Amino acid sequence: MTVRPLIGITSYLDEAAWGVWRQNAAVLPQTYLDAVSRAGGTPVLLPPQGGGVHRLVDALDGLLLAGGSDIDPARYGADPHPRTGRPHPARDAWEFELLAAALDRDLPVLGICRGMQLLNVALGGDLVQHLPDESHQTLPATFVRQGVVVRPESRLGEILGPAAQVSCYHHQAVGRIGSGLRATAWSADETVEALELPDRSFAVAVQWHPETDPDDPRLFDAFTAASCKEAAR
């Protein structure tokens, strides 16, 4: 039987409503879970919490840093832009600690949207806190379909080829690139759309949302394949 790797996915911790209840809850769009499952992995939610990071990472075969709220600008030494969302200190602290443990162990990592920004900030980079209106985010909860050019000599280039059509929804972007990272995809306005850490077995992050595109599973397939290798060790 093929081993299904355990893929930890970071999640929101926000107020949610169901039935007659309205409470704080650990939530994540089903699209992430479906994308991991279709690729052959077993998704495990990792809501913000305190402690236990190293034991948890030791039990995982891959880490997926999901999209979400803006990272606190204090993390990269900046004052907040008027359009930057309110900080979520518990989620920031939890995910930075998870990422550090995963990179230290060379656990396969896939970052999506906020996850790419988190990887960049964790390695000493910073962010553009607000892009021009209606460029990469137009209407609320509506993805912008756009093309990206991919660096051929990269892990992402091996997976997607020299170009791809992707679904974006972000008002922030990578600014100064963090230590050891390499930009591997760009949109038409030269916004960095993907980063990689070449000295790790699999550390790829994209600014777009591949989990919303079930017709193109290539990135999730590659991430899960790398995680299968981890599970087989």
Side-chain angles (χ1 to χ4, degrees), residues 188-202:
D189 63 2
E190 299 186 353
T191 297
V192 174
E193 293 285 345
L195 294 173
E196 296 180 20
L197 197 54
D199 67 352
R200 293 300 191 276
S201 60
F202 190 101

Side-chain angles (χ1 to χ4, degrees), residues 2 14 23 52 57 66 76 85 110-112 117-118 122 125 134 144 148-149 151 168 175 180 204 212 219 232:
T2 302
D14 284 314
Q23 299 181 15
V57 167
Y76 46 94
L110 174 61
I112 292 177
Q117 296 168 7
L118 188 116
E134 299 186 1
V144 176
V148 296
V149 176
R151 185 192 295 270
C168 287
V204 176
T212 67
L219 187 52

Side-chain angles (χ1 to χ4, degrees), residues 5 8 14 20 25 27 31 37 49 58 63 91 101 117-119 124 148 152 154 156 162 164 171 187 201 213 225:
D14 284 314
V20 298
V27 294
T31 48
S37 295
Q49 54 194 281
D58 284 343
L63 175 66
R91 183 173 182 184
Q117 296 168 7
L118 188 116
L119 176 64
V148 296
S154 65
L156 193 64
H171 81 109
S187 53
S201 60
D213 190 2

Side-chain angles (χ1 to χ4, degrees), residues 9 17 36-37 48 54 87 95-96 101 103 125 130 134-135 145 166 211:
I9 313 176
V36 168
S37 295
H54 290 281
E95 292 183 5
F96 276 105
L103 292 179
H130 189 67
E134 299 186 1
S135 56
R145 195 72 176 168
V166 301
E211 80 283 1

